[in-house]
Amino acid sequence: MAKNTTPEFVLRPFEGIAGEPDLVALREVVPAATAVARTTAEYGAREITFTTVLPGGWPALHRADGTVFVALQTNAGSGDASRDLAQAALDAVELEPGQSLTSTGLPGPGPRLQDILDLSVPLEITVHDGFDYWFDPAEPLAADVRESLDEANSTLIETVKLSSVESAYWCRMGAREYLRWAMPFDEDTVISAVARLHAKRQSGFGGSKFLGAFRSSGIVIPVWELPKGSEAEDIEAAVAEFWPTLEAELTNDAPLTADERRARAGIVSRQVTLR
């Protein structure tokens, strides 16, 4: 019988990477953003730009100017997203400049992002208001490419990364504004912390309302609906003030009270699992 050489499923694939919550957010809820990292000396000390998506759904692109892009929002997977992305990055580096990686197979066991990235170098996150960054600004775009790019840009959800706390993203969807906040804690810890606050009617900030959470890659992304018309800068101070209250509950290991258990059950029932 042939031996199964594909990696086993990993619930929390980016654990151990300082930018874990941002990688998950870019993989799931941020439309256009990049995260710049660097590989270790063993893997060439190359700069890798992780991006939410690439044109045509490509897994990776080695741009003509030498920039290496690796897409986070890809569908195919072996069960270990970190292994998949590491292989895509290594394959992209080997491409000739100007070439794209249009498909990938399921990789066997091998290095993961935690192995190939220099973890002492923090991820540099940039949220973009369009996909123009896909292309070398020094190269002119053909008319049909420009038209396709403009069409893609027109569908983007307006998104801003907050500066007052880590890995929190304001967004506007239609006439409503939301905060999506990815956190580097296991999902049970975050849900219990929010449940404790929810039971005390303290789970909101600055007039916001806690709605629920997305679950992905072993962590959760809680979501709050913001007062109508709120801009990202309007909530920076309120979120920063709310963080110590939430942080205290994240380290609270006391058993949940009856009210807190009921609040937790309600939150869990509204969770949405991504991928």
Side-chain angles (χ1 to χ4, degrees):
M1 180 179 294
K3 183 179 179 181
N4 181 7
T5 59
T6 58
E8 296 181 1
F9 175 73
V10 177
L11 175 64
R12 193 173 170 182
F14 307 123
E15 186 173 13
I17 299 175
E20 176 190 16
D22 286 304
L23 285 177
V24 176
L26 268 59
R27 185 171 166 81
E28 301 294 355
V29 300
V30 178
T34 51
V36 179
R38 181 172 292 277
T39 62
T40 64
E42 178 184 358
Y43 289 95
R46 290 293 300 268
E47 190 171 275
I48 302 293
T49 300
F50 294 100
T51 176
T52 48
V53 292
L54 284 169
W58 298 335
L61 167 67
H62 194 147
R63 209 166 63 180
D65 65 356
T67 303
V68 175
F69 285 109
V70 176
L72 292 166
Q73 296 180 18
T74 51
N75 293 324
S78 65
D80 181 358
S82 180
R83 171 72 185 116
D84 297 336
L85 291 169
Q87 189 61 57
L90 295 176
D91 290 345
V93 167
E94 295 301 318
L95 292 173
E96 291 294 324
Q99 291 187 333
S100 61
L101 189 66
T102 58
S103 63
T104 58
L106 297 181
R112 309 172 72 236
L113 291 183
Q114 290 86 337
D115 302 313
I116 73 168
L117 296 184
D118 183 345
L119 300 182
S120 69
V121 178
L123 292 181
E124 180 184 330
I125 309 295
T126 303
V127 176
H128 302 272
D129 58 8
F131 293 113
D132 298 71
Y133 67 87
W134 285 340
F135 303 98
D136 182 351
E139 295 292 328
L141 295 181
D144 59 336
V145 175
R146 180 75 257 176
E147 183 178 353
S148 296
L149 182 60
D150 289 342
E151 183 178 353
N153 288 344
S154 70
T155 66
L156 282 183
I157 295 171
E158 187 179 357
T159 302
V160 176
K161 187 178 189 296
L162 298 194
S163 60
S164 57
V165 294
E166 297 293 329
S167 311
Y169 295 83
W170 168 96
C171 69
R172 173 170 287 130
M173 301 177 67
R176 296 184 176 183
E177 293 79 28
Y178 302 91
L179 181 74
R180 296 163 166 179
W181 192 350
M183 297 183 179
F185 307 94
D186 68 76
E187 57 188 79
D188 286 340
T189 297
V190 176
I191 296 303
S192 292
V194 175
R196 293 180 193 277
L197 295 176
H198 205 60
K200 296 184 287 189
R201 302 183 183 277
Q202 297 177 6
S203 59
F205 52 85
S208 68
K209 177 184 178 183
F210 174 73
L211 293 183
F214 296 114
R215 177 198 294 120
S216 180
S217 301
I219 68 171
V220 292
I221 305 174
V223 180
W224 287 263
E225 184 173 358
L226 304 172
K228 186 175 177 60
S230 297
E231 301 292 340
E233 59 267 25
D234 298 333
I235 65 168
E236 290 274 15
V239 174
E241 185 177 352
F242 176 67
W243 168 237
T245 300
L246 177 57
E247 186 179 30
E249 297 298 355
L250 288 166
T251 59
N252 185 350
D253 58 2
L256 296 176
T257 66
D259 286 345
E260 290 167 349
R261 288 196 300 272
R262 281 192 291 271
R264 191 182 196 284
I267 293 170
V268 170
S269 71
R270 300 195 303 273
Q271 270 187 289
V272 175
T273 300
L274 301 175
R275 299 180 192 272

